[in-house]
Amino acid sequence: RLTTLSLAARMRTAHLHRHAAALFAKAHAEAKESESTEDISSEDEEEEETSASLPPLCVSPQEQHTHKEDKTQEEQEEKSKSKKRASVLLLYTGGTIGMRKDPKTGAYFPDSEYLAERLGQGLLPRDAAMPDLSYSAYTPPLDSSDMNSAHWSAIAKAVGEEYDEYDGFVVITGTDTMAYTASALSFALENLGKPVVVTGSQIPISVVRSDGVANLVDSCLVAAHGRAAELAECVVVFDGHVLRANRTTKLKAWGISAFKSFSYPPLGEGGVRFVTFPDRTRRPAAAPFRCRPHFSPDVALFSMYPGAERFAPAALAALLAQRVRGIVLEAFGTGNAPTEKALMATLASLCHEHGVVVCVVSRCPHGAVSLGSYSGGYCLAQAGCTSCHDMTVEAAFTKLSWLLGDPALPVARVRELMEQDLRGEVTQGLFLHPNRSLRVLV
Ligand code: ASP
């Protein structure tokens, strides 16, 4: 059931529509470095929200209907019943789930109004377990490959601003960079006391075999009832799995079970009953929630491959010329790279002379970086690189962007924090998984 809110709440939601739309439009415009973009900096947001030049609101037909003052008795009854329900805010950023086919070109494109319309027409089942839903869409809705740290920041801000008003949040986004967005949110949203779910689908809801409805239903249920089950963190809900956001990786381009968490077990699973595993989840935070949506865009991802020493020194120097501040280095196995002198000298100069934070992740999805195990890793450590242990590339990249986005943190502290567990993204102690009763015997 979509939006059976009081007038005040509806107005707030409309406000969010505009606010979120403005933030997203700004992020997108920045990403495209458009000269013609209007200035919608945070100081000007109040003014922007009343401006006629804002992107149009995406209000579902049902939401429009409930704007009428003269409610029928049935609506009044619905409203009083709905008071017992949890409330969840859906934030659509784009992605396959809400795409429909352009009849002219035959290509799929994200359409925020289409998803709103379908939700308003009863796309999701009316069931006592389902929450009351409010919907907000970003303008323009994007293919997630067009998203970057400015968009993560806009989403985090929207959740932060609405945090007290809902029992949970569902961020609906494209699958291609969903693991990045989900990881980024896990860092920006501190001390969560309720679930923030990230989901999407492999097949649009406009197509007969879509996985979108099941993913949306599961996500709404997790967002609505997660807090009661002490699930109060950022998660990805996809194909019946609840995965820790910052442990998640997109594994399949075609398969419906597209996401996997290699180094941490699922937090929940939808079988005949939908269950969560409380010994794996993070306890709801005692400290007050805060939103710190700052991300540095000056972070790059750099991959090792056999023969990388041929181009790597020049490529790394080129990154430095572009004022890179952080590099996630995807290395072999337990964190190895070619030991060739010029490459190591370049890395040492980046780390020691230029204060670039170079963080090593493994190209293997299973296992962890251990920089002392082989001479390749030892050389990286000597050059000043930092180990990301068993962090995913997505977690390492977004964590580094987030830490470097905090102007108060000196480089040495950023390096320290990269090695520490902030949101359950890294296993402390090699091969020791406290939630899996796993111990090294020999
Ligand atoms: N290219 C799409 C996106 O990431 C794929 C999807 O949503 O599944 O936005």
Side-chain angles (χ1 to χ4, degrees):
R1 192 163 36 174
L2 184 67
T3 308
T4 52
L5 303 172
S6 69
L7 183 61
R10 274 200 311 277
M11 284 174 66
R12 252 188 358 79
T13 306
H15 163 94
L16 177 66
H17 276 294
R18 298 187 202 192
H19 184 65
L23 287 170
F24 212 62
K26 179 172 179 254
H28 191 57
E30 276 173 4
K32 296 285 173 205
E33 290 177 359
S34 162
E35 290 302 312
S36 58
T37 308
E38 291 176 31
D39 177 15
I40 46 173
S41 63
S42 52
E43 294 79 42
D44 296 334
E45 274 157 16
E46 273 318 307
E47 230 176 274
E48 281 298 324
E49 279 153 11
T50 54
S51 152
S53 64
L54 276 169
L57 299 186
C58 301
V59 182
S60 75
Q62 187 173 345
E63 194 177 348
Q64 284 169 356
H65 179 64
T66 53
H67 269 284
K68 287 179 192 166
E69 292 299 321
D70 54 337
K71 289 191 173 23
T72 63
Q73 200 187 339
E74 195 191 335
E75 279 174 320
Q76 296 287 7
E77 279 168 15
E78 277 294 312
K79 193 183 162 201
S80 64
K81 269 192 241 158
S82 76
K83 274 188 187 152
K84 292 174 207 118
R85 290 172 188 268
S87 62
V88 166
L89 176 60
L90 307 176
L91 292 162
Y92 179 55
T93 74
T96 289
I97 191 166
M99 289 191 187
R100 62 190 180 83
K101 216 176 223 175
D102 182 331
K104 283 190 197 126
T105 64
Y108 284 103
F109 69 98
D111 180 347
S112 55
E113 304 217 9
Y114 175 68
L115 185 56
E117 256 169 51
R118 293 292 308 274
L119 287 165
Q121 290 161 358
L123 178 73
L124 303 184
R126 292 166 68 92
D127 185 277
M130 285 292 279
D132 280 338
L133 298 177
S134 299
Y135 173 81
S136 182
Y138 292 91
T139 305
L142 296 177
D143 186 294
S144 73
S145 20
D146 279 324
M147 289 173 69
N148 58 38
S149 56
H151 302 100
W152 308 333
S153 178
I155 300 165
K157 275 184 198 158
V159 172
E161 284 175 14
E162 297 296 310
Y163 185 77
D164 292 335
E165 309 301 328
Y166 295 91
D167 294 296
F169 298 84
V170 178
V171 176
I172 308 166
T173 189
T175 60
D176 286 346
T177 65
M178 183 183 291
Y180 284 91
T181 303
S183 298
L185 292 177
S186 79
F187 296 112
L189 303 172
E190 257 178 16
N191 306 326
L192 277 175
K194 50 185 85 170
V196 175
V197 178
V198 183
T199 196
S201 73
Q202 290 284 74
I203 306 176
I205 52 161
S206 58
V207 173
V208 66
R209 287 184 52 253
S210 178
D211 51 330
V213 173
N215 286 345
L216 282 176
V217 169
D218 286 352
S219 297
C220 289
L221 295 175
V222 171
H225 305 291
R227 180 158 50 172
E230 295 205 318
L231 182 85
E233 55 181 293
C234 284
V235 293
V236 167
V237 171
F238 213 93
D239 192 38
H241 297 286
V242 184
L243 307 173
R244 175 163 295 156
N246 52 39
R247 294 281 191 163
T248 304
T249 295
K250 183 173 181 183
L251 183 69
K252 296 179 184 173
W254 279 59
I256 295 297
S257 208
F259 289 89
K260 185 130 178 109
S261 165
F262 285 98
S263 299
Y264 199 81
L267 307 184
E269 263 167 26
V272 173
R273 307 294 303 267
F274 206 111
V275 299
T276 57
F277 306 111
D279 59 334
R280 298 174 187 173
T281 58
R282 287 163 64 74
R283 299 275 83 84
F289 166 77
R290 50 180 197 163
C291 176
R292 297 205 297 144
H294 48 66
F295 291 94
S296 166
D298 303 323
V299 177
L301 179 59
F302 200 88
S303 219
M304 282 297 134
Y305 55 91
E309 65 274 18
R310 165 82 174 83
F311 296 120
L316 290 167
L319 289 179
L320 191 60
Q322 292 299 314
R323 297 185 301 278
V324 74
R325 294 176 59 218
I327 296 174
V328 174
L329 190 74
E330 247 191 334
F332 306 123
T334 54
N336 297 306
T339 54
E340 195 261 347
K341 269 195 185 136
L343 173 58
M344 288 304 155
T346 308
L347 285 168
S349 149
L350 284 172
C351 295
H352 297 310
E353 288 162 37
H354 298 281
V356 177
V357 183
V358 181
C359 297
V360 183
V361 293
S362 175
R363 291 181 53 80
C364 304
H366 270 288
V369 167
S370 161
L371 291 183
S373 294
Y374 294 92
S375 54
Y378 178 79
C379 288
L380 288 176
Q382 291 301 107
C385 299
T386 304
S387 169
C388 288
H389 302 284
D390 63 352
M391 254 183 265
T392 61
V393 174
E394 295 89 340
F397 188 87
T398 54
K399 182 177 178 180
L400 186 55
S401 307
W402 183 69
L403 291 173
L404 289 173
D406 183 346
L409 286 182
V411 164
R413 184 72 183 135
V414 171
R415 288 189 176 125
E416 266 171 31
L417 289 172
M418 278 307 290
E419 302 222 27
Q420 289 173 22
D421 180 18
L422 302 183
R423 306 279 192 275
E425 76 281 5
V426 62
T427 308
Q428 298 276 263
L430 188 62
F431 302 131
L432 182 68
H433 292 258
N435 291 324
R436 282 196 288 173
S437 310
L438 180 67
R439 297 286 185 277
V440 178
L441 295 181
V442 192

